[in-house]
Amino acid sequence: MSGLRTVRVPLGERSYDVLVGHGARSELASLLPTTARRAAVVTQPGIPLEIDPGIPFDVFQIGTGEDHKHLGTIESLCRSFARVGLTRNDVVIGVGGGMVTDVAGFAASVWHRGVPVVHVATTLLGMVDAAIGGKTGVNLPGGSGDGGKNLVGAFWQPSGVVCDLDALATLPPRERRCGNGEMAKYHFLTGDDLLAMDEVERIARCVEIKADVVASDEREGGRRALLNYGHTLGHALEIETGHEIAHGEAVAVGLVYAAHLARVLGRIDDARVEQHYAVVHGAYELDTRLPDGVDHTRLLSLMAKDKKALTSLTFVLDGPAGVEVVPDVAAEAVLEALAAMAAHG
Ligand code: GLY
């Protein structure tokens, strides 16, 4: 098909292709394992993309919104797989945004101790981030110290990913902003001027950047943590606002916060902080303000529980050697940076 870009995620025997372009869904069948006799399509109501896997398939809808991203949804999917007799040779296909591909991927990772999964990403955020790299999982509901976002999951690489840009024609502006938040992150990881590229090239380039990081550190022993630039405050804001602020929007605020924190720690200068505002707010047109009324001490305690924080407050921060993981950040610096950000015009 002309105009289609193929990006390889090189992971040895678990390598796979990501197809990027308008109409890419027509190539879906070519990504399915040859053993598959039937497919379980996991999706949500209102997903604007019809697919044809070329083999018999059943469709299973999951609920929309973070409230449905829990273990109960995985159990219910597995019961559905049992009802239709999905075998170890068959395939799960996740069709939707990041929530669908996280849930479909996790269900595939545990069904019969692991069956192949192929993702068809239908949101910008899914295409540039969530569907690529094999992170799957669900939240543990509960706000009293025994819950959290994506706490239960598995690394389970897909056998292939489709990014069909036709799905973006009807993408709500808020969902587009969420994708732009993750794209702004790639800007700081590579310095690439992604906005100068056409949309197919831009998405394919984001996939290439992510593929390169994942190939070098599949299970986040080191470099992959850089993909969490902007996410430490971002995740805290999502939790603190009860998901009123969406993931990509929270990452946008988190990127600028990370710059303030790097400034407080003497890693970057004021001009570099302003560059963060220029990119995130100026170029990607994202809101960079802390939501009204958020309690800084609560944010601090949420950030201390971040998955990166193995022994101490840990952030991904810009500095003289570029973006890197910085452990042992003092609580006072975290609060000072929040205050500096709140005071920034
Ligand atoms: N979304 C960050 C990662 O896949 O590692």
Side-chain angles (χ1 to χ4, degrees), residues 26-90:
S26 66
E27 302 295 317
L28 171 62
S30 71
L31 296 178
L32 303 186
T34 51
T35 54
R37 294 285 166 266
R38 75 181 305 113
V41 175
V42 178
T43 188
Q44 282 171 325
I47 296 289
L49 207 62
E50 295 282 320
I51 56 140
D52 176 8
I55 54 176
F57 64 101
D58 300 278
V59 177
F60 304 108
Q61 307 253 12
I62 62 171
T64 302
E66 288 283 320
D67 288 352
H68 294 271
K69 194 179 178 188
H70 56 66
L71 284 165
T73 302
I74 301 300
E75 177 175 352
S76 137
L77 281 174
C78 288
R79 289 187 186 281
S80 301
F81 298 165
R83 267 194 299 278
V84 299
L86 197 75
T87 73
R88 194 174 277 170
N89 282 343
D90 292 330

Side-chain angles (χ1 to χ4, degrees), residues 259 263 266-274:
R263 175 71 188 98
R267 297 174 55 85
I268 60 172
D269 59 15
D270 289 334
R272 184 67 177 153
V273 176
E274 291 312 318

Side-chain angles (χ1 to χ4, degrees), residues 129-130 132-133 135 182 185 210 214 220 224-225 227-228 231:
D129 185 34
I132 321 292
K135 275 192 183 173
E182 291 289 351
K185 170 189 83 179
K210 180 147 188 187
V214 169
E220 202 166 310
R224 185 165 180 168
L227 295 173
N228 290 321
H231 285 55

